[in-house]
Amino acid sequence: MKWSYIIICDKCGYISTEKLSEEKAKDLLHAHVGGPQNCTTGHIKLMKVRT
C-alpha cells in the first residue's frame, strides 16, 4: 500500500486536487502560505491518503 498527501486549508477552504508525494505536498504547503487570504502554516494540514 502506498500513501500520498493532499493539502487542506482551514482558513480559505483550499483543497488540493491531486494526490502528492510527501515532499511535493510540503512544497505546496509552503507555496500556499501568505497569498491573498494571509493563510499560515497553522491553517494548513497535510492529509494522508491511500493510493
Side-chain angles (χ1 to χ4, degrees):
M1 177 181 344
K2 294 178 90 179
W3 293 98
S4 294
Y5 295 84
I6 59 172
I7 296 172
I8 297 173
C9 181
D10 290 335
K11 183 168 185 182
C12 70
Y14 174 78
I15 300 174
S16 60
T17 56
E18 60 182 293
K19 296 175 183 173
L20 305 163
S21 67
E22 185 173 7
E23 184 177 312
K24 288 183 180 182
K26 286 181 180 179
D27 289 343
L28 182 58
L29 181 152
H30 292 294
H32 184 77
V33 170
Q37 302 284 338
N38 291 322
C39 301
T40 67
T41 54
H43 295 118
I44 304 167
K45 297 177 188 169
L46 291 180
M47 299 291 289
K48 196 174 189 180
V49 294
R50 277 192 241 176
T51 52

